[in-house]
Amino acid sequence: MGYRSFVAVGDSFTEGMNDPGIDGAFRGWADRVAERLAALDPEFRYANLAVRGKLIDQIIAEQLPRAIEMRPDLVSFCAGGNDLLRPGSDPDRMAKKIATAVRELRATGAEVLLFTGVDPRDTPIMRRARGTFAIFFMHLRSIADLHGCHLVDQWSMQGLRDWRAWSEDRLHMNEEGHRMVAAKVCEVLGIDADDDWRKTWPPLGHVDPAAKRREDIQWLREHFGPWVVRRIRRRSSGDGLDPKRPDLELFR
C-alpha cells in the first residue's frame, strides 16, 4: 500500500544517532525511509517524536498519545533498548507494555512497524545479558504476529555485527548502519530502496591485540563510564531535549 503519513516513535535509534544530518541534527533510518516515501507522494507527511535515552514508560507516556492523536497511516514503534541495559530488566513485563501500546496504535487503523534488536554477542558487556535480549525480541516477534504488524528483524542482519556499522560509542549506528536499517525497513514495507541491507564488508586486516585493548580501555573511559554515571545519577542523555520533528508535516 502507499503511505501518506508516517510517525516515528522511540529513543536514540529512531532519533537517528549517530548519523549526521543537516544543521547538527541527526538523520537516521527513519528520515531515510521518509525520504523514500516522500519521493512516491508529494503530499507525504512525517513526524519523528523519538528522543535519545527514553525508557519504555517514558515513550508510552510522552510519545504514544501524540502519535495516536496524529492518526498516521504508519507508525514505527521501537522501545526497550535502554530498559534492557539496566540491571534487573524484566523482558516479560516490558513486552506486556509494548503489546498494550501496539493494541492502541492498531486500534486507530495505523500500520505498525516493530523491530527486534541486533544480536549483542559481539559486545563484551551486553553479551552477558544476551538471553534477556533474546527473550524480549522473541516477545516482539509474537506481538507482531498477533497484531498484524510489520517486523524488522535486525538479529538476522549480519552486516550490523561488524563494528564498521557503528559509531565510536559502540551503542549507536553510524551512517552505514542506518543505511542498512533503512533498506531493510523499505523491503519490509514493500518499497524500493537505493541500498541493500545484505551488506558484505571487505575483510579486515590484522588487528593487533594490544591496540584492541587500548581501544577497549578508551571506550570504557570515554563512553561506557559516562553512561554508567548518568544511570547512577538517574539522568538521561535526552533530558531537556525535544523531538526533532514534533509535528506531522509535509516532508522537505
Side-chain angles (χ1 to χ4, degrees):
M1 66 170 291
Y3 298 103
R4 304 201 68 190
S5 54
F6 169 33
V7 174
V9 171
D11 53 28
S12 59
F13 169 64
T14 302
E15 182 186 348
M17 293 179 70
N18 282 324
D19 180 7
I22 299 174
D23 298 330
F26 292 115
R27 191 178 181 191
W29 70 264
D31 284 15
R32 292 176 180 277
V33 171
E35 289 169 10
R36 298 301 304 162
L37 293 171
L40 300 173
D41 184 348
E43 299 301 315
F44 172 77
R45 297 175 300 148
Y46 171 55
N48 190 318
L49 307 179
V51 176
R52 69 197 73 170
K54 295 298 183 181
L55 302 170
I56 288 176
D57 287 343
Q58 293 172 313
I59 292 170
I60 289 175
E62 299 167 11
Q63 300 176 31
L64 185 67
R66 181 64 175 145
I68 291 174
E69 179 185 353
M70 292 178 180
R71 301 190 69 86
D73 297 330
L74 175 67
V75 178
S76 67
F77 188 96
C78 186
N82 293 308
D83 299 76
L84 287 168
L85 291 172
R86 297 200 169 204
S89 60
D90 186 336
D92 299 322
R93 291 184 60 193
M94 291 165 56
K96 288 181 180 179
K97 296 175 182 179
I98 298 287
T100 299
V102 167
R103 281 196 297 270
E104 293 182 24
L105 289 169
R106 291 290 284 145
T108 69
E111 296 285 325
V112 175
L113 184 69
L114 298 178
F115 295 77
T116 72
V118 179
D119 186 349
R121 64 178 292 183
D122 303 309
T123 307
I125 294 174
M126 295 183 195
R127 67 185 175 206
R128 298 177 182 177
R130 191 182 183 207
T132 301
F133 279 72
I135 290 170
F136 180 60
F137 298 154
M138 284 303 296
H139 276 308
L140 294 178
R141 296 189 69 91
S142 298
I143 292 168
D145 285 343
L146 287 169
H147 298 285
C149 303
H150 302 285
L151 180 71
V152 177
D153 183 9
Q154 295 184 90
W155 192 284
S156 68
M157 297 176 67
Q158 295 300 304
L160 291 180
R161 289 183 54 194
D162 192 296
W163 284 117
R164 285 171 285 185
W166 296 80
S167 58
E168 290 183 355
D169 67 9
R170 304 185 185 181
L171 294 171
H172 301 100
M173 295 174 191
N174 59 23
E175 177 181 347
E176 288 303 311
H178 280 283
R179 281 184 181 276
M180 282 188 279
V181 173
K184 179 70 169 179
V185 171
C186 287
E187 179 179 284
V188 169
L189 296 179
I191 59 178
D192 293 333
D194 295 328
D195 301 299
D196 186 357
W197 64 267
R198 298 174 183 83
K199 184 179 179 70
T200 300
W201 294 92
L204 283 170
H206 173 72
V207 178
D208 178 57
K212 180 65 168 60
R213 285 194 294 272
R214 287 195 296 271
E215 289 179 1
D216 289 343
I217 292 171
Q218 182 179 1
W219 172 74
L220 286 169
R221 182 175 61 250
E222 295 183 3
H223 298 288
F224 186 71
W227 182 87
V228 171
V229 170
R230 286 198 301 272
R231 295 302 172 273
I232 293 174
R233 295 176 177 175
R234 297 185 179 275
R235 293 180 179 176
S236 167
S237 56
D239 289 346
L241 294 182
D242 295 321
K244 64 180 183 179
R245 291 177 175 268
D247 301 310
L248 190 61
E249 298 177 336
L250 291 175
F251 185 81
R252 296 287 186 264

